[in-house]
Amino acid sequence: MKNFKNAVWREKVTEVTKKIQEEDIKFVRLQFTDMNGMLKNIAVNSKNIESIFENGQSFDGSSITGYRPIEESDMVLYPDPTTFAILPWRSKEKSSCRLLCDIYTPQNKRFDADPRYILEKTIEKAYQAGYKFICAPELEFFIVKEAENGGLPTPIDLAGYFDFHPGDLTDDLRRDIADTAEAFGIEIEISHHEVALGQNEIDFKYGEALETADRAITMKMCGKVVAAKAGYLATYMPKPFQGINGSGMHVHQSLWNHDGTTNMFYSENPENGHLSDIARHFIGGQLTHGRKICAILNSWPNSFKRLVPGYEAPVYLAWAHKNRSPLIRVPDFGGRKSAARCEIRCPDGAGNPYLQFAVLLAAGLDGVKNKTNPGDPVELNVYHMSYEERKKRGIVSLPESLKEALDEFETSDLMKETLGETAFENFLKEKRREWDAYRLQVSNWEVNRYIKRL
C-alpha cells in the first residue's frame, strides 16, 4: 500500500509543483473514476496545488455514481503525484495537466468504495501472500461517425483484420492516439485494425496492476479526445453493431515475486507447457469464480450482446493452451520465463479497470490459496461441442445477461470481501437500476416482429 505523505511522496510533490510552475500551467485537472469507470475531473487553479496536495480538494460525492448518499456527500480528492502528465492536446497558451486522485472522507480516511483503493487493497493482499500482480489489457474500440438527424453512428472505414489501406483514416487516428498516449508515459507495443469495420486495437506494455489500470483509463481518454478532435467518436461499447464482432479487453496476467525478478507462473517442466502449479491454481480460481466475477468484468446490459458464440467472444468456462474458444488461454510463450502468463478473454473495455483487475486478482489468489485444480486443458473448439459433450467435461457457460450475472455476483462472499460492503451494495444497486432501465424498453425489433403477428 502507498505510504501517504512519506519522504518519497513529498519529493515527488515538490518535483510536480516545480514542473507546473516552469510550464506556466494555470489549471490542473484532478481526475478519478466513478463506480462505472467513467472518468471524472475538476479543474483547479494551479496556485492552490501545494495546498491541495497537503489538504485535498473537497467535492460532492453524492453526485458521483456509486459513491455516497446526499446526506453523507462530502468527499476529498488527494492527487497522486506519480500520475502527473501535461495534456498534449492543449496549446502552450492554454496548457493544462492532469493528476489522478485517491478519494478520502472528511475524517482523512480512504473512502472504502473508491475503485482505486479497492484495487490497492487487493494488491496488498497479493503482496502479503508473496506476489506482485502483473497484467496488460488489449483494448479494442470502434471509431464511428455520428449521424445527423438522430440516425445511428456508422464505422468510418471498410477495413478488416490487420488490413492496410493507404490513406486509411483509422491508420492515422491510431497513430495519433498512440503518440498522445506516449506523451503520458505509456509505451505502446501494438496497434492494428481489428476484425469489424471501424474496429481497432491498441496495446500497451504490461505493468503492475495499479499502474496498468491508471494507463487503461488514460488510454480510453486519449482515444476519445483524438477521435473527437478529428470529428469522430471513439467508443468502447462492447457490441455497437449487430451481426459483427464486438469489442473486448483480453487481459494478460502473471504473478511475480516481490522484487519482480521471478515469474511465478513459469515452470522448468515442459509437460505442462512450462506452466507452474501456481499458474494452474490461479487459472482454477478464475474458472471457479468465473460466473460470479462476470458482472464486474462485463458490467452493462450490452456486454452480454458480445458474449455469444460465433463472434470470437468466450462463453464457456474452460482453459486451453492454443485454443481461443475457452474463457482462459495460455499463449505460446516459447519457454521464455518472463513471458509465462494466462489470458482471460471475457472482460470488455466499457467497465471499470480498477474493479476488473481487483476481482481478477482476488479470484486467482483464491485459487492459489486453495490449490484449485483447473482441470485438463480443452484444446477442442468448445463452440462445436454439443450440450452433452460440455456437460460431460464439466464445462459451464458465463451468464447470458446482466441480470443473471448480478444474481451470481450477489451470492459471492469473495466479491463482498474484495469490494467491501459499501461498494458491493452500491454496485448491485446501480447495476440493477441499469438492468431495469434496459428491460423496460420496447425495441424496434420487437415491434417489427410482433405487432402484426400477435
Side-chain angles (χ1 to χ4, degrees):
M1 290 272 250
K2 292 181 297 187
N3 186 1
F4 185 54
K5 295 186 179 181
N6 61 14
V8 175
W9 182 89
R10 292 187 181 280
E11 182 179 342
K12 190 66 178 177
V13 166
T14 300
E15 177 187 324
V16 168
T17 303
K18 182 179 179 182
K19 186 70 173 177
I20 289 172
Q21 293 171 346
E22 289 175 346
E23 296 292 332
D24 194 26
I25 294 172
K26 292 182 172 58
F27 286 93
V28 179
R29 297 193 184 193
L30 307 182
Q31 298 184 331
F32 61 101
T33 66
D34 68 6
M35 184 67 67
N36 287 323
M38 303 296 183
L39 188 63
K40 305 291 184 178
N41 83 178
I42 176 175
V44 297
N45 194 307
S46 62
K47 294 179 180 179
N48 302 320
I49 193 62
E50 287 184 84
S51 174
I52 291 172
F53 271 124
E54 189 68 28
N55 304 306
Q57 172 65 50
S58 298
F59 73 103
D60 178 8
S62 68
S63 298
I64 305 300
T65 302
Y67 274 32
R68 282 195 153 183
I70 195 167
E71 66 270 16
E72 299 175 352
S73 60
D74 293 335
M75 309 288 291
V76 184
L77 295 171
Y78 275 95
D80 182 341
T82 66
T83 65
F84 169 81
I86 296 174
L87 300 182
W89 53 80
R90 298 299 297 268
S91 65
K92 178 69 176 177
E93 295 73 22
K94 295 185 177 181
S95 60
S96 183
C97 66
R98 79 90 193 260
L99 289 158
L100 294 175
C101 297
D102 297 318
I103 315 299
Y104 279 72
T105 68
Q107 292 74 38
N108 205 33
K109 294 182 179 180
R110 291 295 294 270
F111 175 47
D112 59 355
D114 174 8
R116 205 164 184 256
Y117 182 47
I118 289 168
L119 177 56
E120 285 184 33
K121 288 189 295 183
T122 314
I123 291 170
E124 176 65 15
K125 185 177 180 180
Y127 187 87
Q128 294 300 325
Y131 307 117
K132 179 186 291 186
F133 184 44
I134 303 297
C135 58
E138 299 177 7
L139 277 167
E140 296 176 344
F141 59 99
F142 282 85
I143 300 177
V144 299
K145 181 178 182 179
E146 294 190 82
E148 298 178 359
N149 303 319
L152 294 176
T154 55
I156 66 171
D157 66 66
L158 299 176
Y161 190 66
F162 273 32
D163 279 358
F164 170 71
H165 292 289
D168 179 15
L169 285 172
T170 52
D171 187 59
D172 289 340
L173 288 171
R174 285 196 303 273
R175 175 57 188 268
D176 289 345
I177 294 170
D179 290 344
T180 302
E182 288 187 341
F184 285 86
I186 300 174
E187 183 178 341
I188 302 301
E189 293 194 323
I190 295 174
S191 168
H192 64 86
H193 200 286
E194 257 297 338
V195 173
L197 305 183
Q199 189 182 33
N200 303 269
E201 178 177 315
I202 300 179
D203 304 337
F204 57 86
K205 187 176 177 61
Y206 63 83
E208 295 183 43
L210 183 63
E211 180 180 53
T212 300
D214 288 343
R215 287 172 175 171
I217 288 293
T218 304
M219 278 297 306
K220 290 164 69 174
M221 175 179 67
C222 291
K224 288 181 176 295
V225 169
V226 169
K229 288 177 74 68
Y232 303 114
L233 173 70
T235 179
Y236 295 84
M237 182 180 177
K239 189 80 166 183
F241 303 109
Q242 181 181 334
I244 62 175
N245 288 26
S247 292
M249 186 185 73
H250 303 168
V251 181
H252 295 256
Q253 314 164 89
S254 56
L255 293 178
W256 291 63
N257 65 342
H258 282 173
D259 61 8
T261 58
T262 303
N263 185 349
M264 308 301 288
F265 272 21
Y266 179 80
S267 168
E268 295 289 351
N269 184 359
E271 291 185 7
N272 287 326
H274 292 288
L275 203 63
S276 70
D277 286 342
I278 288 175
R280 287 171 52 82
H281 296 151
F282 189 91
I283 292 170
Q286 291 192 343
L287 292 178
T288 298
H289 295 282
R291 285 179 58 85
K292 298 185 184 298
I293 65 178
C294 188
I296 297 289
L297 303 180
N298 306 97
S299 57
W300 299 95
N302 181 258
S303 298
F304 296 86
K305 300 292 180 72
R306 167 182 167 258
L307 295 177
V308 295
Y311 298 97
E312 299 187 12
V315 178
Y316 301 110
L317 277 75
W319 75 286
H321 285 281
K322 298 179 180 180
N323 187 3
R324 280 177 160 81
S325 63
L327 180 69
I328 297 176
R329 184 177 78 97
V330 177
D332 183 0
F333 50 88
R336 292 177 293 134
K337 295 180 180 180
S338 63
R341 65 197 188 278
C342 66
E343 172 196 9
I344 187 164
R345 299 169 61 80
C346 71
D348 61 51
N352 189 314
Y354 299 108
L355 299 183
Q356 289 171 318
F357 297 162
V359 302
L360 286 174
L361 177 55
L365 288 176
D366 187 70
V368 173
K369 176 183 176 181
N370 294 302
K371 295 182 170 25
T372 304
N373 183 357
D376 296 329
V378 180
E379 300 300 347
L380 299 174
N381 191 330
V382 186
Y383 297 135
H384 292 167
M385 290 182 184
S386 66
Y387 171 78
E388 288 74 19
E389 287 178 291
R390 293 196 302 271
K391 184 176 180 181
K392 184 178 179 180
R393 293 173 178 266
I395 300 174
V396 298
S397 65
L398 291 172
E400 294 184 357
S401 69
L402 180 59
K403 165 68 165 59
E404 186 180 347
L406 291 172
D407 289 344
E408 289 279 353
F409 173 83
E410 191 170 16
T411 65
S412 173
D413 291 336
L414 180 63
M415 291 299 93
K416 190 169 187 177
E417 176 190 340
T418 302
L419 269 67
E421 186 172 352
T422 302
F424 183 81
E425 296 297 335
N426 286 353
F427 183 84
L428 277 171
K429 182 179 179 181
E430 175 61 28
K431 289 304 174 178
R432 290 206 185 279
R433 184 185 296 121
E434 185 75 17
W435 174 254
D436 284 342
Y438 167 77
R439 71 183 181 87
L440 294 175
Q441 297 298 311
V442 178
S443 67
N444 288 338
W445 182 90
E446 293 171 273
V447 174
N448 292 335
R449 185 173 179 86
Y450 299 123
I451 196 165
K452 293 181 180 180
R453 297 168 62 190
L454 302 178

